[in-house]
Amino acid sequence: MGEVILRPKGSVDIMVEAEAISPDIFAGKTKSEIEKLTVWQGAGQLQLCEFFDIEGSVGSSAAETKIIIEGDVPRVKHIGHGMSAGEIVIEGSAGMHVGSEMVGGSILVKGNAGSWAGMEMKGGTLHIIGNASDHVGCAYRGSWRGMTGGKITIDGSAKSQLGGGMSGGEIHVGGSVENFAGIRMSNGIIVVKGDAVRGVGAEMSGGTFVVCGKIKQFSPGFDYTGTEKNPKIGETVLSGEFMKFAGDFAITKTPKGALYASKEANGEV
């Protein structure tokens, strides 16, 4: 596998839009051609080499190409946008839209990720070791369909509207989430090991949402259907007793959404 290393040259003031940082675009190119790839900063059209020192060589295809970014790039957006194969490793934090619309391959972010990570993701894997901001795996504004496939893993916590409009794939959060996670969800799986604030699964018509911690404010459109011990959700086996709810009846009379909440953390709701 070919490997290319990008080293950030310094701090970035105006955010840089860098869809060019993708195995699909790097594949088959020379070092000189990669350096000249176009990125945008505001209205300015610039070259990738103005922001990164670049070394190494790529493979002949995206699947044979690995990109390593050595450092924090929280103001570089769209890394891995739409990628179909290959690998990206960010040895620090990433900016907004990392892995947006990705179809395949893998992205590892060793720090935090900005908003819209994995937006409308269709396949592949996105692993964020730190925390993520709002709208992970969400539908873009004006669209109703968010993530349709693939897997997003967040070892830390995430902010609001995680998995908004989700219709496939999986999201696993090791920490907690904030408001309206799983809003308008129609399919797929979301597992949150920590707590959730409010609006979990609001307007949900299908899919499965699990909260292993406490839900501070339950959505009113969910009906309790029973308690399950150590339920298996996809390939994940949960430990303990979970209350199961169907919903969201506020959006449809025949919802197929399932919300699981830890009985120990939530008591009698």
Side-chain angles (χ1 to χ4, degrees), residues 171-190:
I171 301 177
H172 294 258
V173 180
S176 298
V177 297
E178 295 184 3
N179 305 303
F180 295 100
I183 186 170
R184 298 189 306 276
M185 182 179 181
S186 63
N187 205 342
I189 295 170
I190 299 177

Side-chain angles (χ1 to χ4, degrees), residues 140-227:
Y140 196 62
R141 298 199 188 281
S143 173
W144 287 91
R145 178 173 292 184
M147 180 180 180
T148 58
K151 184 176 182 179
I152 298 175
T153 302
I154 303 167
D155 292 354
S157 296
K159 291 189 177 180
S160 296
Q161 295 199 31
L162 172 115
M166 183 178 183
S167 60
E170 296 186 27
I171 301 177
H172 294 258
V173 180
S176 298
V177 297
E178 295 184 3
N179 305 303
F180 295 100
I183 186 170
R184 298 189 306 276
M185 182 179 181
S186 63
N187 205 342
I189 295 170
I190 299 177
V191 178
V192 175
K193 291 294 182 69
D195 303 327
V197 179
R198 66 188 179 99
V200 176
E203 300 184 11
M204 182 182 191
S205 60
T208 303
F209 200 121
V210 177
V211 180
C212 299
K214 182 176 180 58
I215 299 176
K216 295 181 181 178
Q217 183 178 329
F218 273 77
S219 297
F222 284 81
D223 284 352
Y224 174 70
T225 62
T227 299

